[in-house]
Amino acid sequence: MGITITPFGPADDQAIDAAVRIEAAAAAVDLPDFPLFCPQRLIGSVRHPMPGDAPVHLLAHLDGEAVGVLKLELPQLDNTENAAIELTVHPAARRRGVGRALFDRATELAREHRRKRLTALTPDTAPAGTAFAQMLGADSVLADVRRRLDIDRLDPAALARLQAEAQGRAAGYQVVLWRGHTPEEDLADIAYLEGRLVADAPMGDLAWEPERYDAERVRAAEIALDARGRRQYHTGIRHQASGRLVAWTVLDVAATVDWHALQQITIVDPEHRGHRLGLLAKLENLRYLRDHEPAVRVINTFNAAANDHMITINEQLGFRVADRWTNWQLTI
């Protein structure tokens, strides 16, 4: 029968179940210490896409058995010349042309949607992914580093010193904590900060423009994350004179892995830098998470290898290098 590629959507329970099995098998082999995979996250992403995305999901069958899955993200509000790929092949079916067949079909679809570039992210600890990207002619455009914080190794005295230092520099600012959805009165400020991320973070040669956020898009993203079962912990820093939130950080816990959290965005408005607000927000959010998620033992975070400022903060907190990842870009 060979390899067949078929799209699937939110109503195709059988295909979604197959995708879950493939992703779970691959994660156990490829990322045993990094539990990115969560069934509810995958199911939610198919049934409730993020706002501003119109993804296509593909399932590959080899001799009638589902062995590969691909998600093609198609941004609609910005970066409309780009498409992002997440490709997974069951470990038992690798090196049999499944990945290439999925990629070729995704490329056809990207061209049909008038996309000029494909992007993907692979861990450097998986040489097959690197070799596949190089074989396709993709360029390495941005190096990321994953760092890991082991909660049991935290130094309370060191954290207390950092807290005192940050608070001493943050006169005129107030810490604000919340779980889940952003308070209505802060949505505009969070939209502004979210939209600054790509503009402020090192992007290397990755052709990715700043994303346009407004209050409606922030709220829609929160609803999509609810569908994925994500439990999110936020710390904002309010500038008391203006009433605006000018710094923000998020920690995220999956529905099915209560011992692991992922550090998401941390950002400070450029006009308010130099007051240790990023450090203060991360310290407060770490405490907030631990108060509500006592099972969490590990936190992982990604930074561009060139993001010296954020790396310094993370290493002060106790994050240590776990592995390195490569962002690939291919002009089609």
Side-chain angles (χ1 to χ4, degrees):
M1 297 174 63
I3 299 169
T4 58
I5 308 295
T6 55
F8 66 94
D12 194 337
D13 292 342
Q14 185 175 357
I16 292 173
D17 288 346
V20 166
R21 292 194 299 272
I22 293 163
E23 294 280 7
V29 171
D30 298 333
L31 298 167
D33 76 316
F34 186 22
L36 272 182
F37 173 72
C38 165
Q40 190 168 338
R41 179 185 182 189
L42 190 155
I43 295 166
S45 71
V46 176
R47 294 184 172 150
H48 298 275
M50 294 298 286
D53 186 24
V56 176
H57 298 87
L58 302 176
L59 195 64
H61 288 80
L62 177 64
D63 296 333
E65 181 179 357
V67 294
V69 61
L70 184 143
K71 178 182 180 181
L72 180 69
E73 296 181 357
L74 296 166
Q76 303 294 303
L77 303 177
D78 37 58
N79 292 288
T80 55
E81 293 185 345
N82 296 340
I85 283 179
E86 296 178 16
L87 192 165
T88 305
V89 177
H90 193 291
R94 292 175 179 173
R95 299 185 180 278
R96 300 177 67 181
V98 176
R100 184 57 190 258
L102 279 166
F103 174 83
D104 288 346
R105 180 60 186 135
T107 301
E108 292 174 359
L109 290 169
R111 287 177 175 144
E112 289 175 13
H113 288 273
R114 299 183 179 180
R115 306 301 160 129
K116 297 180 179 179
R117 288 174 294 270
L118 300 176
T119 64
L121 179 67
T122 64
D124 293 359
T125 52
T130 298
F132 185 67
Q134 291 173 335
M135 180 267 294
L136 295 171
D139 296 318
S140 170
V141 291
L142 180 66
D144 280 343
V145 181
R146 175 171 67 102
R147 285 176 169 81
R148 174 186 172 106
L149 177 66
D150 292 312
I151 298 295
D152 293 337
R153 295 183 182 180
L154 285 172
D155 183 340
L159 293 181
R161 288 193 297 272
L162 289 171
Q163 184 88 20
E165 174 194 346
Q167 289 174 333
R169 296 286 296 275
Y173 295 90
Q174 175 188 6
V175 172
V176 182
L177 307 171
W178 72 94
R179 288 188 286 170
H181 289 201
T182 301
E184 197 74 25
E185 64 270 19
D186 294 322
L187 278 171
D189 291 339
I190 291 301
Y192 168 76
L193 292 170
E194 182 81 66
R196 285 211 62 90
L197 181 62
V198 171
D200 291 354
M203 298 299 290
D205 293 322
L206 185 63
W208 201 269
E209 65 188 21
E211 296 167 333
R212 295 191 295 272
Y213 270 85
D214 57 17
E216 183 180 357
R217 187 172 180 181
V218 170
R219 186 65 85 216
E222 291 173 342
I223 293 170
L225 289 169
D226 289 345
R228 291 157 172 75
R230 313 306 288 187
R231 300 195 298 277
Q232 292 208 311
Y233 295 82
H234 305 253
T235 292
I237 307 292
R238 193 181 306 283
H239 181 230
Q240 291 175 311
S242 67
R244 291 180 51 240
L245 288 182
V246 297
W248 173 47
T249 191
V250 181
L251 285 163
D252 177 290
V253 181
T256 53
V257 191
D258 65 357
W259 58 268
H260 175 262
L262 193 61
Q263 172 68 61
Q264 301 283 8
I265 190 173
T266 301
I267 193 161
V268 178
D269 186 329
E271 295 182 6
H272 294 269
R273 290 175 184 165
H275 298 280
R276 299 292 193 271
L277 300 185
L279 175 61
L280 179 60
K282 289 174 80 86
L283 283 163
E284 293 284 358
N285 212 33
L286 176 60
R287 178 188 59 78
Y288 189 43
L289 175 83
R290 295 181 71 193
D291 285 347
H292 291 89
E293 300 280 353
V296 170
R297 311 292 355 128
V298 172
I299 301 173
N300 277 285
T301 189
F302 283 87
N303 299 110
N307 194 347
D308 294 337
H309 177 69
M310 195 56 63
I311 288 170
T312 297
I313 292 176
N314 286 335
E315 292 191 339
Q316 285 179 308
L317 294 173
F319 283 89
R320 297 295 179 260
V321 173
D323 55 23
R324 300 176 188 277
W325 295 56
T326 297
N327 288 271
W328 300 94
Q329 185 171 279
L330 176 66
T331 300
I332 58 172

